[in-house]
Amino acid sequence: MKTTKVAAAVLAAVLSTGFVSAQNHKPVTIKFPTAGASGALYAVGAAITNMWDSKISFVKASSQASNGGIDNLNQIADGESQVSIAISSNCYQSFNGTDSFKGAANKKLRVIAGLYFNPNQVVVTKKSGIKTLADVKGKHFAVAAAGSSVEGECNNHFTTVGMKYPKDIKAEYIAFGDAADMLQNGTIDGAWIMSGTPAAAVSQACSAGCTLVNIDDSVIAALQKKFPWYAKYTIPAGTYPGQTADVQTSAIKMVMFCNTTLDDETVYQLTKTLWENIDALGQAQKNLKGLTPQNAVKDIAGLELHNGAKRYYKEIGVIK
């Protein structure tokens, strides 16, 4: 992927120094599922695991594509993978065993860091006539994979504006990349994409004349009453081809997490190394630019930090 190659190229200049060694620590393998290969999260995971793999002597880290947040949380719960990222709402649901995780609460789930806000991006063709979320009723619309965190966003938002989901739309259960292709050739009216900006799939669709739907204050306020993890988010004008004005949408913070089964020293080194190299990571991956450890402990849906992460945040004075 082009983004991954760019990330690797930028990181190459800085990964040759600052090697971390924890004396006598046994080797640790970190498998890091991300999301579909066309989304920004795929490149984020690659940049972070490349950095860990190069800088921590006892850690062998690698990222791979996945079906997104719910799949990632299930992989961590099952011990199939060790560290991943998902939206805070899904992390909350996994910990408490609700929604897609009903009957399968993962009480071992712990947070390493809150990262960036992940905005919802509703992309539609001009000929669809869609101007608001309510206008999607009766339209041919891509909602991502069935049971995915993105489909959950569709459910939350469309029901909030008074629709019966999925009954009121002609739902297409496809990945971001396929949705972008179908938007480009006009075989669907719109698609829900949840990804850091700019997202390749959204850029592709907007290059073909598609536009973003604005989510107004009243809809976001109604969402927040039912789902307090939502925040307002502005996609600045010029983020995408043909986007001449700011677009308001909803967003949820992305959270990096693991299980308590990952030992404290490993998580401490992962956390410390992440933040000590965040400037280089920000150069490699735009979604990581400007992140701070001070904000890493906020907007994480009230979930508990891993003890190893707590140790680092205490050392730098972020928490007591």
Side-chain angles (χ1 to χ4, degrees):
M1 250 197 87
K2 186 177 180 181
T3 15
T4 308
K5 289 179 180 177
V6 171
V10 175
L11 285 173
V14 296
L15 293 181
S16 59
T17 60
F19 199 58
V20 175
S21 176
Q23 191 175 10
N24 300 323
H25 199 291
K26 294 180 180 179
V28 174
T29 297
I30 302 292
K31 293 182 181 178
F32 192 123
T34 56
S38 64
L41 185 55
Y42 183 86
V44 167
I48 292 172
T49 52
N50 285 344
M51 180 267 299
W52 283 340
D53 192 68
S54 299
K55 286 188 169 289
I56 307 174
S57 64
F58 64 89
V59 167
K60 182 176 178 60
S62 62
S63 61
Q64 52 270 327
S66 77
N67 289 325
I70 291 174
D71 182 26
N72 297 345
L73 283 154
N74 286 332
Q75 287 194 43
I76 298 299
D78 294 342
E80 183 180 342
S81 298
Q82 290 70 45
V83 177
S84 191
I85 299 178
I87 51 179
S88 60
S89 55
N90 284 162
C91 294
Y92 179 90
Q93 292 161 355
S94 176
F95 181 82
N96 289 287
T98 64
D99 297 83
S100 298
F101 307 94
K102 191 171 183 179
N106 179 15
K107 293 298 183 181
K108 295 180 179 179
L109 183 74
R110 295 293 184 273
V111 173
I112 296 174
L115 299 176
Y116 57 92
F117 279 108
N118 200 27
N120 287 298
Q121 301 176 67
V122 185
V123 194
V124 298
T125 64
K126 287 183 180 177
K127 70 175 183 179
S128 70
I130 298 170
K131 302 294 183 185
T132 68
L133 292 186
D135 293 338
V136 176
K137 186 173 182 178
K139 301 294 185 180
H140 191 192
F141 193 88
V143 298
S148 67
S149 56
V150 178
E151 196 209 357
E153 291 301 298
C154 293
N155 187 12
N156 290 352
H157 286 71
F158 289 138
T159 55
T160 295
V161 298
M163 291 167 56
K164 294 179 180 178
Y165 177 85
K167 183 179 178 181
D168 281 347
I169 66 173
K170 298 172 185 175
E172 191 79 47
Y173 299 92
I174 54 176
F176 292 172
D178 294 332
D181 291 339
M182 293 178 75
L183 283 166
Q184 196 169 24
N185 61 37
T187 54
I188 57 174
D189 296 307
W192 199 287
I193 294 173
M194 192 180 202
S195 176
T197 58
V202 181
S203 293
Q204 178 184 338
C206 289
S207 293
C210 292
T211 59
L212 291 163
V213 173
N214 194 81
I215 301 179
D216 65 33
D217 290 347
S218 62
V219 175
I220 294 175
L223 281 165
Q224 288 171 333
K225 287 181 180 179
K226 294 189 286 185
F227 313 106
W229 46 71
Y230 283 113
K232 288 182 186 179
Y233 185 92
T234 298
I235 302 173
T239 300
Y240 293 112
Q243 184 198 349
T244 58
D246 291 351
V247 174
Q248 179 175 282
T249 187
S250 60
I252 306 176
K253 183 167 272 191
M254 297 299 298
V255 172
M256 183 187 295
F257 59 91
C258 61
N259 274 352
T260 56
T261 47
L262 197 58
D263 71 275
D264 291 358
E265 179 62 28
T266 296
V267 176
Y268 170 78
Q269 295 294 348
L270 296 178
T271 310
K272 178 181 172 69
T273 307
L274 170 73
W275 292 113
E276 288 184 347
N277 293 276
I278 197 62
D279 289 343
L281 287 168
Q283 292 177 47
Q285 227 303 313
K286 186 176 181 180
N287 289 296
L288 299 176
K289 189 173 184 178
L291 299 186
T292 67
Q294 287 74 22
N295 287 329
V297 298
K298 301 175 183 177
D299 300 309
I300 57 174
L303 295 167
E304 187 175 348
L305 292 163
H306 191 285
N307 285 338
K310 283 182 186 177
R311 175 183 158 196
Y312 174 74
Y313 294 124
K314 286 179 180 178
E315 280 185 1
I316 63 171
V318 167
I319 61 175
K320 294 181 180 179

